[in-house]
Amino acid sequence: MPDADLHLHTYYSDGTFSPEELVCRARNAGLSTIAVTDHDTLEGCQPAIHVSREQGLECIIGTELTAEYESHEVHLLGYFVDPKNEELKRHLDTFQAVRQKRIYEMVERLNRLNVPLKPESVFQLAQCKSPGRPHVARALVKEGLCNNLDEAFERYLKQHRPAWVPKFKIHAVEAIELIHDAGGIAIMAHPGLNRNDALIPPLIRGGLDGLECYHSKHNKTAAEKYFSMTRFYGVLATGGSDCHGLSKGRPLLGTVRIPDSLVQALKDQWQRRRNDTSASAPPFPTSTLAS
Ligand code: AMP
Ligand code: FE
Ligand code: FE
Ligand code: ZN
């Protein structure tokens, strides 16, 4: 049975599981490889990697960036990025600061609608650097201002609803370069949710390494279509459930699984990229050392 799920969220963004709980559940689900891909943060990766080692699982470092290409939102998964890369750290800090400011803006809009939510209620519940709309929705329910999460989104938070605030998006090609410069592999998350396959060829020309063919919101036809595309363009195929924990009912963890051959292809590409980068780096000026 295929046993890798490469798209998982923790409570460091909008999931509900701690990294530790995620790994334990992954082991119980019979997974042998996972990737933690929280929105705009790498905070959950190290703890997950640590527990994975103890539990005999492999955990790949990752993040999911919200990007834009020709006015279309695309999500890019960055696998194997170096968490110490300064440029990546700087960008993630900015994305997180913008997300925090956006919470205040959404709360302000709610207050103008006479919904008495306090920003502290959201931050207390989020307890992470990368909060988003789901945290506002949960706070609205917790404070008794909405009956459930769906109502919170339908009434206030969905796109073009009165408390919706658009999210900052980095240009997709810039995001791909950022991931590459941090030593990572850039994969388009859930291409089926974009509803625009015309974005794929130019992004592959822009350096995109592959497509997330297998995803909980892709049916069999969509998965097969995107897999054929990856064979046509000679790029990677990946997959994952996009589990957010208990926030959307039954946890999706392990409901999408990919075989080890696809994980291996992802790793091979990463190794090739590393070797290419070191081969093209200018030689270190040894004469300077001698003098
Ligand atoms: P944000 O990144 O802050 O814009 O929030 C996006 C998150 O909100 C994603 O994880 C979505 O799955 C979640 N989301 C979007 N629409 C809904 C909805 N109608 N009900 C529950 N969650 C939603
Ligand atoms: Fe999410
Ligand atoms: Fe996404
Ligand atoms: Zn996701």
Side-chain angles (χ1 to χ4, degrees):
M1 187 167 176
D3 52 13
D5 183 341
L6 301 186
H7 190 155
L8 300 167
H9 295 270
T10 74
Y11 64 22
Y12 283 102
S13 67
D14 54 359
T16 63
F17 296 147
S18 67
E20 294 78 11
E21 186 175 3
L22 184 77
V23 173
C24 287
R25 283 176 176 262
R27 193 204 50 195
N28 292 342
L31 292 166
S32 61
T33 310
I34 58 168
V36 171
T37 54
D38 276 314
H39 301 281
D40 299 332
T41 184
L42 295 166
E43 284 172 286
C45 296
Q46 265 321 314
I49 289 168
H50 182 78
V51 185
S52 291
R53 281 202 190 112
E54 288 175 356
Q55 304 272 348
L57 267 78
E58 181 175 21
C59 178
I60 295 171
I61 188 168
T63 184
E64 181 174 13
L65 303 180
T66 307
E68 187 174 45
Y69 190 76
E70 292 181 346
S71 310
H72 295 277
E73 181 169 318
V74 289
H75 292 189
L76 293 168
L77 296 161
Y79 291 113
F80 295 111
V81 287
D82 175 4
K84 296 199 185 77
N85 181 274
E86 285 302 328
E87 196 61 12
L88 180 64
K89 278 199 319 199
R90 203 173 56 77
H91 274 82
L92 293 180
D93 282 350
T94 306
F95 299 156
Q96 290 163 13
V98 171
R99 275 179 172 275
Q100 288 162 28
K101 186 163 163 270
R102 179 172 173 245
I103 299 292
Y104 286 103
E105 289 166 2
M106 286 192 278
V107 169
E108 215 173 280
R109 281 174 178 259
L110 285 164
N111 293 165
R112 266 187 256 138
L113 297 162
N114 294 323
V115 181
L117 188 71
K118 293 194 181 78
E120 301 82 65
S121 309
V122 182
F123 289 114
Q124 214 167 44
L125 194 144
Q127 303 262 352
C128 69
K129 294 181 189 166
S130 211
R133 282 182 293 163
H135 298 109
V136 180
R138 282 182 223 161
L140 282 167
V141 175
K142 189 162 177 242
E143 300 296 327
L145 299 165
C146 281
N147 291 316
N148 52 52
L149 298 177
D150 272 346
E151 187 193 326
F153 271 94
E154 284 303 324
R155 281 180 72 178
Y156 303 119
L157 299 169
K158 256 171 88 163
Q159 193 170 5
H160 305 308
R161 292 288 195 271
W164 173 69
V165 175
K167 197 161 61 176
F168 167 77
K169 302 177 196 83
I170 181 175
H171 190 281
V173 175
E174 201 190 323
I176 292 168
E177 283 168 6
L178 183 66
I179 292 166
H180 284 174
D181 291 346
I185 299 294
I187 303 288
M188 182 187 280
H190 43 66
L193 299 190
N194 299 342
R195 298 176 196 282
N196 191 348
D197 293 345
L199 306 176
I200 294 171
L203 287 178
I204 289 176
R205 286 195 291 278
L208 185 72
D209 294 295
L211 305 177
E212 185 179 53
C213 304
Y214 307 100
H215 183 272
S216 45
K217 294 235 171 88
H218 286 178
N219 60 22
K220 195 162 177 277
T221 313
E224 280 169 2
K225 175 179 74 174
Y226 292 117
F227 186 73
S228 312
M229 272 193 202
T230 64
R231 300 310 90 170
F232 179 80
Y233 288 110
V235 295
L236 298 167
T238 69
S241 63
D242 207 354
C243 174
H244 284 76
L246 300 170
S247 59
K248 293 170 191 170
R250 190 173 68 96
L252 294 169
L253 176 70
T255 55
V256 174
R257 292 166 185 249
I258 61 166
D260 191 48
S261 55
L262 294 183
V263 180
Q264 195 53 51
L266 178 69
K267 288 180 187 167
D268 290 346
Q269 170 90 339
W270 175 50
Q271 284 300 340
R272 264 197 305 278
R273 182 77 46 74
R274 272 162 63 126
N275 294 340
D276 287 354
T277 317
S278 50
S280 62
F284 193 77
T286 44
S287 56
T288 323
L289 273 182
S291 61

